[in-house]
Amino acid sequence: MADTPRIDIEHVAKLARLALTPEEKAVFGSQLAGILQRVEALGRVDVNGVEPSAHAAAVNNVWREDAARAGLPVADALRNAPAQRDHMVVVPKVVE
Amino acid sequence: MAVPLHFQSLAELAECLAKREISSVELTRAVIARTEAVEPSVRAFNSRDAADALAQAEASDARRASGQSRGPLEGIPIGLKDVIAVKDQPLTASSRMLADFISPYDGTVTTRLRGAGAVLWGRLNCDEFAMGSSTENSAFHPTSNPWDLTRVPGGSSGGSSAALAAGEAIATLGSDTGGSIRQPAALCGVVGLKPTYGLVSRFGLVAYASSLDQIGPMTRTVEDAAILLGAIAGHDERDSTSLRTEIPDYRAELAGRRGPWRIGIPREYFGAGLDPEVAAAVERAVEHYRGLGCEVRPVSLPHTEHCLDTYYIIATAEASSNLARYDGIRYGHRSTKAKDIVDLYFQSRAEGFGAEVKRRIILGTYVLSSGYYDAFYLRAQKVRTLIRRDFLNAFRDVDVLLTPTSPIPAFKLGEKSDPLAMYLCDIYTIGVNLAGLPAISVPCGFTGAGLPVGFQLIGRPLAEADLLSAANAYDQVHAWGRKTPRL
């Protein structure tokens, strides 16, 4: 396991694209340190030769017929867009 | 005095409807009236549309009048947790992020309920994005336990359990990622079933942790759970984890499969932290099975102590990935304060998510991040293998496992402010999700203070018929879920 269960909260919040207030950083930082200290116990489990499970019972290579079918109508797909124009989602300028 | 319509079982009401003793409109009106009367104190709903429900009920009565009844759910008002898509209705996941979201399509369980003739009634409160054990993480309002309004209904499907216990629906659907159907069912004195992973389609379910999430029924009786499961189970090509398996007539199988079952008691589920009154009620349930001639024997699930840690790594990792979609661009909350497009992501997510969701996103991002992936996430996936192996080993010697559902009865609103203390509420339910097994919480009495207690039966993968039958062997005698709170 990692030596010190400390979260670099600023770095992780940046990875998660989440703006945190100074109070949130302080509270989450200490709460998550407590949780990490707890989950460190997993380091004691002997997992030599054990395969990881991504699912309880994996279902692999699921295929369906490659048949054309109707998708969601544009109006329905855009129904919840915060801003839209001419059947497109409006976003802030990306390139100056 | 006769039981009022809103407190009758689904099976009883289906019979009354079939005999034309009542109409779906009458029943739906009764449920709406009851909801209007008690909802100010229970607050189980995020939204409801009485006109829409009555229109569905009229359509149901018309079908029945023309001989087109679609079966036992025809005309029955069923409430859905607000994480399941219902076309043209709100879908909020009890989050500010989706406060204004209107679902553009039906989830598969919704389609199947419509196909079975059910009246879809209301959007039920829950912890935000189904993350929590008390429904206090809802961005909108907490829900009260109908048995004691100062206490939580459990969570995350607390609106589903409270509405049912309060007579505001005849049955409800919840979703269960670490106990979110079973724990609130236990705390509100109703039945809650988490199906085998892959038995019920997740298409149209707001994703929390995709390898653990399952939708399932919450009902007053085990028989009702069998009826409702039969309607929603089965393969769906729109969910690639959906299993191709025959769906038996679960209700018919209740009578067909009689025990005695070999019942395993996992010793790790009866240790420190278990409330003595809960332990006593569960022990009385064990006695009932002994009285039926069942062999009861101790078993061991040696990796139980690691379930909680494994869960909080895997579930938060999956959540951090799933919730990356909420970026304020195509749908959901968009901040008006952002400086540029990247800042739009940061600000929209900061404003849209509540504290518990942020905490889990941070933890999940951390355990997946470079340098920590192997130590946390990969290791947790390996321990998950060992946890599933424990259960499958136990099932060599026994047919079902019997445990408490929750270590404690309903606690006070606001009582648990420490996240770790809240996580411990799920200590007996989490292993089942990691192993992908079916499990049911059955009400088994009350504490001295009048709070409901439930026990949990855990079955082999896809052994729902056996599990329901074993649960029914207790429930048809004791029927604690038929008790009604004074509101």
Side-chain angles (χ1 to χ4, degrees):
Chain A
M1 298 297 275
D3 295 336
T4 45
R6 276 203 60 81
I7 286 189
D8 178 349
I9 199 96
E10 308 237 356
H11 174 65
V12 179
K14 198 172 157 197
L15 290 177
R17 301 289 186 269
L18 198 52
L20 297 181
T21 64
E23 296 77 47
E24 284 177 325
K25 282 178 198 166
V27 172
F28 292 165
S30 80
Q31 286 172 337
L32 292 171
I35 293 167
L36 284 182
Q37 205 168 11
R38 210 201 120 93
V39 304
E40 285 242 304
L42 286 187
R44 297 199 305 268
V45 184
D46 181 4
V47 293
N48 257 328
V50 178
E51 287 293 315
S53 300
H55 277 83
V59 180
N60 295 315
N61 295 336
V62 178
W63 305 100
R64 65 163 170 79
E65 286 305 308
D66 186 17
R69 52 183 167 182
L72 208 55
V74 174
D76 289 354
L78 284 175
R79 173 176 196 170
N80 290 287
Q84 57 173 292
R85 195 171 58 217
D86 303 332
H87 282 179
M88 289 179 284
V89 175
V90 177
V91 298
K93 195 183 283 183
V94 179
V95 182
E96 287 298 332
Chain B
M1 203 184 102
V3 178
L5 288 181
H6 56 259
F7 273 132
Q8 291 191 25
S9 74
L10 195 167
E12 287 162 352
L13 291 166
E15 203 180 320
C16 292
L17 286 162
K19 290 183 183 160
R20 316 280 177 103
E21 291 168 3
I22 55 168
S23 68
S24 175
V25 168
E26 276 174 77
L27 172 59
T28 303
R29 280 212 181 104
V31 168
I32 292 169
R34 170 69 178 177
T35 304
E36 297 311 323
V38 300
E39 185 59 8
S41 51
V42 179
R43 306 181 83 190
F45 288 76
N46 283 341
S47 62
R48 53 192 192 274
D49 188 337
D52 174 62
L54 283 169
Q56 294 177 62
E58 279 169 20
S60 168
D61 286 335
R63 280 194 298 271
R64 196 182 296 279
S66 62
Q68 310 284 311
S69 171
R70 295 171 177 177
L73 294 186
E74 182 67 73
I76 304 277
I78 294 180
L80 273 66
K81 184 178 182 179
D82 203 359
V83 289
I84 298 169
V86 179
K87 186 173 164 54
D88 297 333
Q89 294 288 334
L91 177 60
T92 72
S94 290
S95 178
R96 276 188 296 276
M97 182 61 84
L98 293 173
D100 301 319
F101 189 88
I102 302 293
S103 188
Y105 56 82
D106 275 340
T108 294
V109 294
T110 310
T111 305
R112 291 193 177 168
L113 287 183
R114 287 192 204 278
V119 172
L120 306 178
W121 167 232
R123 318 292 300 130
L124 294 163
N125 198 18
C126 55
D127 287 296
E128 183 178 4
F129 285 102
M131 297 178 187
S133 309
S134 70
T135 310
E136 292 167 293
N137 293 335
S138 167
F140 306 132
H141 53 79
T143 293
S144 284
N145 190 312
W147 291 96
D148 178 345
L149 296 172
T150 67
R151 290 176 188 270
V152 303
S156 66
S157 309
S160 299
S161 62
L164 184 57
E168 299 175 277
I170 303 307
T172 59
L173 291 184
S175 66
D176 189 316
T177 306
S180 282
I181 288 174
R182 291 159 287 156
Q183 185 258 13
L187 269 48
C188 287
V190 298
V191 174
L193 171 70
K194 200 285 290 182
T196 303
Y197 183 80
L199 185 70
V200 176
S201 170
R202 293 181 295 109
F203 179 77
L205 171 68
V206 175
Y208 158 22
S210 303
S211 82
L212 303 165
D213 299 338
Q214 270 291 286
I215 296 169
M218 302 176 80
T219 54
R220 300 197 167 109
T221 67
V222 170
E223 182 185 24
D224 286 0
I227 295 169
L228 191 45
L229 179 66
I232 60 172
H235 180 256
D236 175 19
E237 69 165 20
R238 290 189 289 191
D239 172 0
S240 64
T241 60
S242 171
L243 299 173
R244 288 184 186 277
T245 180
E246 283 296 307
I247 304 302
D249 182 339
Y250 295 114
R251 186 193 199 178
E253 298 271 335
L254 287 182
R257 297 177 188 236
R258 293 177 198 279
W261 297 270
R262 292 171 303 164
I263 297 178
I265 309 291
R267 63 173 65 94
E268 293 83 0
Y269 283 60
F270 290 82
L274 176 58
D275 179 278
E277 285 190 275
V278 173
V282 173
E283 184 49 45
R284 286 194 292 276
V286 173
E287 280 310 312
H288 175 86
Y289 284 105
R290 278 206 187 92
L292 294 177
C294 296
E295 181 193 335
V296 177
R297 61 163 84 169
V299 297
S300 177
L301 303 168
H303 294 90
T304 298
E305 62 169 312
H306 301 297
C307 286
L308 195 66
D309 304 332
T310 304
Y311 175 83
Y312 276 97
I313 290 172
I314 289 173
T316 60
E318 293 185 18
S320 75
S321 170
N322 270 327
L323 272 62
R325 73 189 67 180
Y326 301 104
D327 57 6
I329 302 296
R330 292 156 299 151
Y331 53 85
H333 174 76
R334 180 183 285 194
S335 174
T336 53
K337 286 189 252 161
K339 300 189 295 283
D340 52 41
I341 187 147
V342 176
D343 194 40
L344 183 70
Y345 305 150
F346 279 87
Q347 299 303 332
S348 298
R349 290 163 66 77
E351 294 168 12
F353 292 138
E356 184 59 31
V357 174
K358 288 177 184 173
R359 203 156 31 233
R360 295 196 194 193
I361 289 174
I362 297 279
L363 182 59
T365 304
Y366 174 78
V367 299
L368 289 176
S369 65
S370 171
Y372 299 98
Y373 180 92
D374 285 3
F376 289 107
Y377 185 63
L378 188 63
R379 178 166 279 267
Q381 286 191 317
K382 290 177 178 174
V383 179
R384 182 176 187 179
T385 304
L386 296 173
I387 290 166
R388 178 168 164 91
R389 213 177 270 171
D390 280 355
F391 280 105
L392 298 182
N393 284 340
F395 285 127
R396 285 191 200 143
D397 301 322
V398 298
D399 302 308
V400 289
L401 299 169
L402 193 157
T403 79
T405 305
S406 163
I408 51 172
F411 46 94
K412 292 271 186 190
L413 286 154
E415 182 180 323
K416 291 188 190 295
S417 52
D418 170 42
L420 258 176
M422 190 71 88
Y423 298 170
L424 287 168
C425 294
D426 298 331
I427 195 144
Y428 301 144
T429 46
I430 266 171
V432 163
N433 298 78
L434 290 167
L437 303 171
I440 187 167
S441 181
V442 181
C444 63
F446 291 83
T447 66
L451 300 174
V453 177
F455 72 89
Q456 172 176 241
L457 285 180
I458 306 168
R460 297 188 180 97
L462 293 173
E464 272 79 359
D466 243 355
L467 185 69
L468 285 160
S469 185
N472 192 51
Y474 176 90
D475 190 54
Q476 67 179 359
V477 176
H478 295 282
W480 293 102
R482 307 304 309 276
K483 300 257 186 251
T484 55
R486 232 178 259 128
L487 271 171

